[in-house]
Amino acid sequence: IRLQDPDMTKMARLLFLCCLFPAIAWASEGGGEGEGGGEAVDPNKPVISYFSLDPEIITNYITANNDMGYVRIKIELMVNSAADLALVQKHEPLIRDTINDVLGKETVERIRSLKGRDLIRKECQDKVNERLLKETGKNLVRDLIFTNYLYQ
């Protein structure tokens, strides 16, 4: 195609350059997924990952007048690598059991206070890591996060 108008020629060149630069940048970064110049992905490389305990944990606790209350918590586990993520997925039943044990022994005061909630979160993380250390030889959970916390 030949453009006779000089302004149209400039516009066509500008359009061509606008399309060319992103393509060059994309190619210089490896060309997309799976094409990293033959580099192998190290599963132990520190890359923060999250594992969601799904479904939410729902368990009972004892209130001040010996009634039953319940707590419903959505939990995300932060781990340091893809290898750790695979181990956490493998040991999900153990993690759930540990968290249920911790929650079932809590008092109504701790469950219903902000400070208590944070103490419970930290205790869950410590107990989960303690049990995973026995099973895997590693502290796998970098952080345990309550993303939803409801009690009644």
Side-chain angles (χ1 to χ4, degrees), residues 86-96 132 135-136 140:
L87 285 171
V88 164
Q89 288 171 331
K90 178 181 177 182
H91 292 286
E92 181 180 0
L94 177 67
I95 294 167
R96 286 180 164 281
L132 287 173
E135 291 295 319
T136 66
L140 298 174

Side-chain angles (χ1 to χ4, degrees), residues 34 97 104 125:
D97 180 62
Q125 180 181 339

Side-chain angles (χ1 to χ4, degrees), residues 119-135:
L119 291 171
I120 293 168
R121 184 195 64 78
K122 185 65 175 148
E123 185 177 351
C124 285
Q125 180 181 339
D126 292 344
K127 294 288 186 186
V128 164
N129 271 329
E130 183 181 305
R131 288 186 74 185
L132 287 173
L133 183 62
K134 288 178 186 174
E135 291 295 319

Side-chain angles (χ1 to χ4, degrees), residues 3 5-19:
L3 300 173
D5 185 7
D7 289 333
M8 287 301 285
T9 303
K10 289 179 187 177
M11 290 295 287
R13 287 181 184 159
L14 183 61
L15 180 62
F16 175 75
L17 290 175
C18 287
C19 293

Side-chain angles (χ1 to χ4, degrees), residues 53-61 69-75 96 99-101 103-104 148 150-152:
L53 289 177
D54 214 12
E56 297 172 331
I57 291 179
I58 302 172
T59 193
N60 294 320
Y61 66 93
Y70 79 90
V71 63
R72 178 176 161 182
I73 303 174
K74 176 74 175 154
I75 297 174
R96 286 180 164 281
I99 293 170
N100 274 322
D101 285 348
L103 293 172
N148 193 5
L150 300 170
Y151 60 85
Q152 182 175 356

Side-chain angles (χ1 to χ4, degrees), residues 62-82:
I62 308 249
T63 63
N65 49 352
N66 287 332
D67 290 333
M68 296 295 277
Y70 79 90
V71 63
R72 178 176 161 182
I73 303 174
K74 176 74 175 154
I75 297 174
E76 302 286 331
L77 303 173
M78 180 192 298
V79 296
N80 288 322
S81 68

